[in-house]
Amino acid sequence: MIIINGKFLLQRRTGVQRYAYELTNLLLRSELEVKIIVPKYVDISAFEFPEHVFIKAGVFKNTTLWEQIDLSIHLKRKKNALLISFCNTGPVLLKNHIVCIHDMSYHYNPKWFSKSFSSYYKVLIPLLAKKSLHIVTVSEFSKKQICETLGVQKSKVTVINNAPSGKFVAPGLDSLVFQKDDFFLFVGSHDPRKNIQLLIKAFSLKEYCSLKLVVIGASSNSFHNEDYSATGNISFVTNCDDLMLADYYKRARALINSSFYEGFGLPVVEAMASGCPLIISEIPAFVEVAQKKANYFNPNSLSTLKIALNNFLKKTDTELKSLIINNYQFSFNYDWEMSCNQLVKLIHKLRHERN
């Protein structure tokens, strides 16, 4: 039996939780026997998965204690059960466990996070890497950092990419929008590593005062969040569901993302699948994911952002149409069913090795 750590269902849905939702949904439709375990007090009727797939267990209401104690006790009784934790954390005492570590940002840049968060991860992640049966991550960049930082053998880490959810994928070429609305789009949480301040500086310049920027995202208790002072051409949207976000992607002139660090960069593939061009920072994960399909800039340099933005603004309608079509077709390389198939193959391989 496969048991999925359902802690992610109690968290705000960001890119990490979306990874868990999408793969859980597909695993439940696979040939494997799959259950989701959640704390006993949780109302499972609120979730989008059928009630019969849930196991309710444990006594702790604190989700960290539930994950480390209740989950360990319950799974120890199920000798043949394989636990999958999709969102960086999981019970350290359990060996029959696949854990997904999305990136190593807590290690390389602890200042971006709350003290309690970074301190917990500094203890937890190395223990999980050592004790777990296998590690999954979302990019070759993250795999390299996990292996180098945690001393993990490459054979213990499998890359299974993110992908755009169906809501963000244009049904076909004839549904792509080539006449865009007059705004640029940023999608991400309000934390320091997203480097939103650089975008605010750029769009506050006199030469760009006629350009509009829409910033979609919210703050998180895990990060040192930032306050933003912006000019009238910059607007913030904090409550945005998937349908609204899909519409923003479709209508935006381009996604503009200035992150200092990412493990993958889900908005990049969501934008490409929606027909939204890319102006993004030249960081390893973005270059791996988007390859030559983006206009890149140095996230530490306002001048290089201006060059990338100016180069984009010079593009003709014909060039933009070609760019949108090429990016859309390239986005097919990222597909949740392909990622789930990789995971199912990994599960079978691990089972075979144990037997």
Side-chain angles (χ1 to χ4, degrees):
M1 177 186 291
I2 308 301
I3 297 181
I4 295 171
N5 181 350
K7 181 182 174 183
F8 73 91
L9 293 167
L10 310 179
Q11 300 170 329
R12 184 171 68 89
R13 195 180 303 190
T14 63
V16 170
Q17 289 74 29
R18 190 179 295 280
Y19 187 86
Y21 269 92
E22 295 290 347
L23 288 177
T24 296
N25 184 49
L26 289 169
L27 279 178
L28 288 169
R29 289 154 46 187
S30 72
E31 81 278 8
L32 299 170
E33 182 184 2
V34 180
K35 297 288 185 182
I36 306 170
I37 189 166
V38 294
K40 191 170 282 185
Y41 69 88
V42 170
D43 177 15
I44 58 176
S45 66
F47 303 133
E48 55 201 71
F49 303 116
E51 293 188 14
H52 72 269
V53 306
F54 285 94
I55 299 171
K56 299 178 74 173
V59 296
F60 288 102
K61 289 195 173 182
N62 178 290
T63 55
T64 299
L65 293 176
W66 173 83
E67 185 174 56
Q68 294 302 326
I69 300 173
D70 286 335
L71 213 48
S72 296
I73 292 171
H74 185 85
L75 271 296
K76 288 282 187 181
R77 299 177 187 143
K78 296 183 178 292
K79 300 293 184 184
N80 295 318
L82 173 64
L83 179 70
I84 302 178
S85 298
F86 283 120
C87 299
N88 294 312
T89 67
V92 296
L93 297 177
L94 207 64
K95 291 184 178 180
N96 201 20
H97 182 198
I98 297 174
V99 62
C100 181
I101 301 173
H102 288 253
D103 61 58
M104 294 297 295
S105 55
Y106 78 91
H107 174 84
Y108 288 99
N109 293 281
K111 65 186 179 185
W112 290 337
F113 302 90
S114 67
K115 188 174 181 180
S116 59
F117 180 92
S118 60
S119 297
Y120 181 54
Y121 267 46
K122 282 178 183 178
V123 174
L124 178 71
I125 299 298
L127 286 172
L128 283 174
K130 181 179 179 180
K131 295 284 189 179
S132 64
L133 179 64
H134 201 81
I135 298 168
V136 165
T137 193
V138 294
S139 65
E140 292 294 338
F141 167 71
S142 285
K143 177 175 179 175
K144 183 173 183 289
Q145 289 204 323
I146 288 166
C147 293
E148 290 177 351
T149 307
L150 302 176
V152 177
Q153 293 292 321
K154 290 181 180 179
S155 58
K156 191 179 178 178
V157 185
T158 298
V159 175
I160 298 179
N161 290 144
N162 276 286
S165 299
K167 299 182 187 73
F168 304 121
V169 180
L173 288 175
D174 57 351
S175 65
L176 294 173
V177 175
F178 300 110
Q179 296 299 318
K180 302 293 188 177
D181 286 5
D182 189 23
F183 70 90
F184 291 84
L185 180 67
F186 170 87
V187 178
S189 55
H190 294 181
D191 67 81
R193 71 170 172 171
K194 302 297 183 181
N195 196 20
I196 301 173
Q197 293 287 9
L198 182 69
L199 301 183
I200 291 174
K201 284 181 183 178
F203 281 81
S204 298
L205 294 172
K206 186 176 180 181
E207 61 195 286
Y208 298 131
C209 64
S210 63
L211 301 180
K212 296 175 184 176
L213 173 67
V214 176
V215 176
I216 294 180
S219 59
S220 168
N221 292 331
S222 300
F223 298 96
H224 284 306
N225 295 297
E226 297 192 324
D227 295 321
Y228 301 111
S229 177
T231 53
N233 60 329
I234 303 172
S235 58
F236 292 84
V237 179
T238 55
N239 294 310
C240 185
D241 62 25
D242 285 353
L243 290 177
M244 290 172 60
L245 180 56
D247 186 59
Y248 275 109
Y249 276 132
K250 186 166 64 174
R251 294 187 294 112
R253 293 180 71 174
L255 177 77
I256 185 163
N257 190 310
S258 50
S259 286
F260 288 122
Y261 180 103
E262 296 287 346
F264 184 87
L266 186 56
V268 170
V269 294
E270 290 175 343
M272 287 194 289
S274 303
C276 180
L278 303 173
I279 306 170
I280 55 179
S281 52
E282 194 170 14
I283 56 175
F286 281 176
V287 174
E288 179 184 335
V289 171
Q291 297 182 27
K292 296 180 180 179
K293 306 299 180 183
N295 294 275
Y296 291 106
F297 61 91
N298 181 342
N300 294 294
S301 167
L302 178 60
S303 62
T304 63
L305 170 56
K306 289 172 63 177
I307 291 169
L309 189 53
N310 289 339
N311 286 340
F312 178 82
L313 292 171
K314 291 175 185 174
K315 291 186 182 296
T316 65
D317 289 345
T318 301
E319 289 172 329
L320 285 172
K321 183 175 182 178
S322 176
L323 176 66
I324 289 167
I325 291 172
N326 288 336
N327 284 13
Y328 169 68
Q329 292 173 332
F330 181 76
S331 74
F332 298 163
N333 290 301
Y334 302 98
D335 178 84
W336 283 120
E337 289 197 6
M338 289 193 298
S339 293
C340 185
N341 288 339
Q342 279 183 272
L343 181 56
V344 170
K345 287 179 182 178
L346 173 64
I347 291 168
H348 286 312
K349 176 176 176 286
L350 294 173
R351 281 178 166 175
H352 177 73
E353 289 174 352
R354 289 190 72 204
N355 295 331

